Amino acid sequence: MRIRDWPEHERPRERLLAHGAGSLSDAELLAIFLGSGPRGRSAVEHARALLAQAGSLRPLLDRTPRQLAALPGLGPARACALAAALELGTRHLAADLARGEALTDPDRAGEYFARRLRGLPHEVFACLFLDTRHRAIAFEELFRGTLDGAEVHPREVVKRCLAHNAAAIIIGHNHPSGVSEPSAADRAVTERLRQALALIEVRLLDHFVIGDGPPCSLAARGWL
């Protein structure tokens, strides 16, 4: 049965308009992008099949646009629409961190790091530079590594802080394994950075480790 033949209160678009996007399942949200399914299958049924094949929503959407385009029933146009939607979400979150707005909620910074770093196949160490009022100045990926780790050089972090005239920073890196638990090395480099930054009077506010679940805050653990 086509979605247009469903009762109105069960159709994804009508439910979204009435109750908001949060009321829809992953398959229903994906179905809105698809618009329609292959012959004999509704968009929702097709979305469920794609999710089942990938395992869940995240491994499906972590694919590159070319990989998405190769999936049954997607193609270049729908794959590009999905990739564009994901990027819009990231930029919308980044707009909340635009200079001029003080960063008062640590969870927002953690979510931003997760959007930027989660799903990368290699480890990336990034830094969010802040001014004296904790307003965002810039976000930079400073070090890239392998599947197992990235070497972090405190001297380079200090140089970038001076270049941005930053008063404070938040750092973060991803664990491609999906495990967000900080390692002993993560704690050690955090302390090295804290000490190096103290010499130039720059505060290290937090260090987020990004895995499959919620970002892990070293400050929340009492390790900063």
Side-chain angles (χ1 to χ4, degrees):
M1 180 186 293
R2 297 172 300 178
I3 291 178
R4 71 181 66 174
D5 297 325
W6 293 9
E8 185 171 332
H9 68 276
E10 294 182 6
R11 300 174 196 165
R13 289 177 183 171
E14 283 73 7
R15 287 179 53 218
L16 188 151
L17 290 171
H19 306 293
S23 66
L24 272 60
S25 67
D26 292 347
E28 290 169 332
L29 289 170
L30 185 57
I32 289 178
F33 271 100
L34 296 175
S36 62
R39 185 180 298 275
R41 178 184 289 178
S42 71
V44 172
E45 291 170 332
H46 186 45
R48 288 172 180 159
L50 290 172
L51 290 169
Q53 178 185 358
S56 64
L57 184 64
R58 186 190 151 193
L60 175 65
L61 298 186
D62 276 348
R63 304 185 186 205
T64 67
R66 288 187 181 276
Q67 290 171 331
L68 286 171
L71 294 176
L74 283 184
R78 288 171 172 170
C80 288
L82 281 171
L86 291 171
E87 181 62 22
L88 282 172
T90 298
R91 294 188 185 187
H92 177 265
L93 183 58
D96 288 342
L97 299 178
R99 186 163 189 168
E101 295 184 18
L103 184 62
T104 58
D105 182 2
D107 290 340
R108 289 170 57 202
E111 184 181 353
Y112 182 65
F113 274 91
R115 290 278 189 97
R116 295 295 298 262
L117 304 180
R118 180 177 288 151
L120 295 177
H122 46 267
E123 192 164 302
V124 172
F125 177 93
C127 184
L128 179 64
F129 301 92
L130 307 170
D131 66 12
T132 55
R133 295 175 58 187
H134 293 177
R135 297 175 300 185
I137 298 172
F139 179 89
E140 292 185 2
E141 295 183 5
L142 297 183
F143 307 106
R144 285 176 171 257
T146 63
L147 182 65
D148 298 317
E151 188 173 358
V152 177
H153 302 281
R155 178 180 178 182
E156 294 302 315
V157 178
V158 168
K159 286 171 61 177
R160 297 309 299 155
C161 287
L162 293 173
H164 287 296
N165 195 28
I169 65 169
I170 298 172
I171 59 176
H173 75 283
N174 64 309
H175 283 176
S177 66
V179 178
S180 59
E181 184 65 22
S183 65
D186 293 336
R187 295 181 63 179
V189 77
T190 301
E191 180 58 23
R192 288 172 56 209
L193 282 168
R194 188 192 65 78
Q195 293 176 4
L197 292 166
L199 296 175
I200 59 169
E201 299 183 337
V202 172
R203 290 186 61 200
L204 177 57
L205 300 180
D206 209 339
H207 183 175
F208 290 102
V209 181
I210 308 302
D212 287 338
C216 179
S217 163
L218 270 69
R221 294 279 187 96
W223 294 338
L224 261 177

